[in-house]
Amino acid sequence: MTRPFPPEIADDLKRAVRLEYWTIGWMLSVILMMGLVMGSSQAMQTAWIEDVLSLIPAIVFLIAVHFEKKAPTKLFPFGYQRVHSLAFLISAVALTIMGTVLLFESAMTLVRQEHVTIPPMRLFGEDIWMGWLMIGALLYSIVPPVILGRMKLPLARRLQDEVLHTDALMQKADWMTGLAGVGGVLGLGLGYWWADALAAGIISFSILQDGVTALRIATAELVDGAPRELGSTGPDPEAELLEEKLARQYAGSTVRLRETGRYIHAEVCGVQPDEAQDLKALWPGDPERSWRLAQLSFVPPDEDVATPAYVTGAVRPLSR
Amino acid sequence: MKSTLPILAMMFALGCSEIPKDPEGTLERVRAEGVFKVGLIASEQPPVGADRSRMLVERVGQRAKAEPQFEKGASEPLLAKLEEGELDMVIGELAPASPWAKAVTLLTPLGEQVSQDDHVHLVVALRNGENAWIGLVDREARAVAAIP
């Protein structure tokens, strides 16, 4: 059993899925090439690990989309829209741990003043310093992610997809990783033993940064935070408009919004439900994006039991 | 794209023969002073392929235009000296799983001897990270190792 995606985003989703398959294919070629010439350069190893890690968001996205279209079951009556957030949290944790470990390692190399050996290699009957091959592989590793990242960014905005958005941003910034790696290997070639570890440190710092950003976004979603703007921890302006509109329409009620995956669920507490609802008409923003409001639910006032304070209590506005 | 990269790398390599450089300047010093210091690990029996060690030292001397200066001793002190840069090269028998394999750079073994309970390589050890010097010695070591 499947349930269809909103028609407005069906095409974009198909394209995003295709792009992620391309990403996996290209990144595997990068990982293979880098792995062949990796040697003992720390910058190179760190850049290689980052390339391997960059497969995670792509895989997470594909898994999440697969689950999202599954129909709700008796055991999962709300469907699987949140698989997305869960998978995102897992990849965020992986990124954060990896970044920390790598940062620690490169710091230790600097402290211990370890000198890295990059030997020559025999290729087509010539002795070539392996550093040149590493630089070649690093330069190649920049190209696919930068292009794919740029292609994914507008799709992520239209799909309101955090995983895709994070993936796109990470890939778009991949040229910095590549250049840091090239700098490290080249510096080593010029006789600066610390250049390699320093570059590795810079790369691992960027992995850590990606991880922490993803962690904050995933957490906000999993603890039923208000809808957030894509790629940020601040509130989503579209959702704020919707909240205002609902508050006006149902005077005396408390309006609460939450985000499950790309969709918004709205809850109006303390009023009787209207007879019928046109969710699309309720959406105050761009009608093209009205699919985001997936559900509107009402909590009627209860005369006998005092409504719990967490429901009626005024929701404090978000401090920006 | 992928097939042009090795060619690009080769063009780079031809254009930039000054890279890699040694962080501690081993090759430059050997060339300037005309001397390189070789540690020979003493062993009870005549070492595996002693003639190969001699051949290697000769070839390296020719390429670097320098004379060898020998020092004999046990493996530990010699390798420690190599790590500190007081020796430029250590040749001798070493088990492949020696803990020294990380502290120094071991080149392709010049020869090996496998007995029932022993697996010993005749190895050339160089100071970690001295990439230009390693490149020079490695080339000669592979040439010597290739002799049947």
Side-chain angles (χ1 to χ4, degrees):
Chain A
M1 275 264 284
T2 58
R3 68 169 167 198
F5 289 108
E8 296 93 329
I9 58 169
D11 281 346
D12 280 343
L13 252 175
K14 261 189 215 149
R15 268 189 41 216
V17 167
R18 222 173 21 239
L19 268 179
E20 292 294 24
Y21 276 118
W22 275 107
T23 304
I24 292 175
W26 278 104
M27 291 318 287
L28 283 178
S29 85
V30 166
I31 289 165
L32 183 77
M33 248 188 89
M34 300 257 294
L36 282 178
V37 297
M38 190 160 60
S40 49
S41 158
Q42 204 170 16
M44 195 71 190
Q45 285 169 1
T46 315
W48 185 76
I49 291 175
E50 192 184 33
D51 287 330
V52 174
L53 286 176
S54 74
L55 287 177
I56 296 179
I59 295 169
V60 163
F61 177 83
L62 291 174
I63 294 175
V65 167
H66 171 76
F67 272 101
E68 194 179 326
K69 65 182 176 210
K70 281 193 172 212
T73 64
K74 204 168 165 56
L75 286 175
F76 291 95
F78 292 98
Y80 296 90
Q81 290 163 6
R82 280 244 177 112
V83 167
H84 207 266
S85 321
L86 180 65
F88 195 47
L89 180 72
I90 294 169
S91 57
V93 170
L95 280 174
T96 310
I97 292 173
M98 212 65 206
T100 313
V101 170
L102 292 172
L103 195 61
F104 178 76
E105 252 176 34
S106 54
M108 286 312 287
T109 306
L110 285 174
V111 170
R112 286 203 217 105
Q113 306 204 353
E114 279 170 20
H115 290 31
V116 173
T117 298
I118 300 184
M121 197 189 181
R122 206 150 178 83
L123 201 73
F124 309 128
E126 284 287 328
D127 272 327
I128 292 174
W129 183 52
M130 224 154 110
W132 294 122
L133 300 183
M134 292 181 181
I135 289 171
L138 279 166
L139 289 177
Y140 169 67
S141 81
I142 297 176
V143 183
V146 168
I147 295 172
L148 289 165
R150 277 189 185 281
M151 289 170 81
K152 282 180 203 165
L153 215 47
L155 278 180
R157 284 206 196 95
R158 287 206 293 274
L159 292 171
Q160 192 69 27
D161 197 302
E162 287 289 3
V163 176
L164 193 63
H165 189 252
T166 312
D167 182 29
L169 284 185
M170 276 164 62
Q171 289 205 305
K172 211 179 132 204
D174 244 16
W175 62 270
M176 284 188 262
T177 304
L179 283 194
V182 169
V185 175
L186 210 56
L188 200 68
L190 290 168
Y192 305 108
W193 64 268
W194 43 262
D196 187 50
L198 187 70
I202 293 170
I203 298 168
S204 39
F205 187 74
S206 99
I207 298 178
L208 182 59
Q209 223 174 11
D210 290 339
V212 172
T213 312
L215 209 53
R216 290 182 64 180
I217 294 169
T219 311
E221 212 178 295
L222 278 174
V223 296
D224 273 350
R228 305 296 159 101
E229 203 174 355
L230 201 60
S232 109
T233 47
D236 182 345
E238 277 182 324
E240 281 187 319
L241 282 177
L242 175 68
E243 193 181 332
E244 281 165 25
K245 187 174 176 184
L246 287 172
R248 269 200 310 274
Q249 200 160 322
Y250 301 101
S253 69
T254 306
V255 176
R256 299 190 300 179
L257 302 186
R258 64 192 164 90
E259 205 169 23
T260 58
R262 68 186 91 247
Y263 307 100
I264 293 175
H265 288 231
E267 195 179 271
V268 182
C269 309
V271 292
Q272 293 293 343
D274 298 17
E275 279 181 358
Q277 290 296 331
D278 184 358
L279 291 189
K280 283 202 187 303
L282 265 179
W283 186 253
D286 182 356
E288 277 284 292
R289 291 172 65 78
S290 61
W291 56 266
R292 281 194 69 198
L293 179 56
Q295 191 186 41
L296 174 65
S297 37
F298 290 91
V299 181
D302 195 318
E303 281 163 14
D304 299 329
V305 186
T307 326
Y310 71 85
V311 173
T312 52
V315 178
R316 262 192 300 138
L318 272 163
S319 51
R320 295 213 195 193
Chain B
M1 172 93 206
K2 265 198 259 179
S3 60
T4 59
L5 271 170
I7 298 163
L8 262 177
M10 225 149 72
M11 277 160 57
F12 260 110
L14 295 174
C16 315
S17 50
E18 289 302 300
I19 291 179
K21 270 187 172 167
D22 292 337
E24 306 296 336
T26 302
L27 183 57
E28 276 174 43
R29 178 172 45 75
V30 167
R31 283 200 170 124
E33 295 177 359
V35 170
F36 62 105
K37 285 167 261 167
V38 183
L40 295 173
I41 299 175
S43 52
E44 290 165 18
Q45 292 130 26
V48 197
D51 48 333
R52 289 188 181 226
S53 321
R54 215 175 315 116
M55 225 188 288
L56 173 70
V57 171
E58 250 168 50
R59 293 180 73 129
V60 170
Q62 274 169 15
R63 266 210 50 204
K65 296 190 177 63
E67 290 297 319
Q69 231 172 50
F70 293 101
E71 183 178 334
K72 281 195 176 178
S75 64
E76 291 282 319
L78 287 182
L79 288 168
K81 273 189 169 180
L82 179 71
E83 213 186 351
E84 292 304 311
E86 288 162 33
L87 287 175
D88 299 318
M89 178 194 296
V90 170
I91 307 177
E93 292 173 353
L94 211 64
S98 161
W100 281 98
K102 267 199 167 166
V104 296
T105 300
L106 302 178
L107 303 183
T108 328
L110 293 180
E112 67 182 301
Q113 193 174 53
V114 188
S115 66
Q116 257 177 340
D117 46 9
D118 225 11
H119 189 148
V120 180
H121 280 163
L122 177 64
V123 296
V124 184
L126 301 168
R127 192 180 185 191
N128 264 353
E130 299 295 280
N131 294 318
W133 174 241
I134 290 169
L136 185 149
V137 181
D138 181 59
R139 192 180 173 147
E140 301 309 321
R142 264 184 296 163
V144 171
I147 298 171

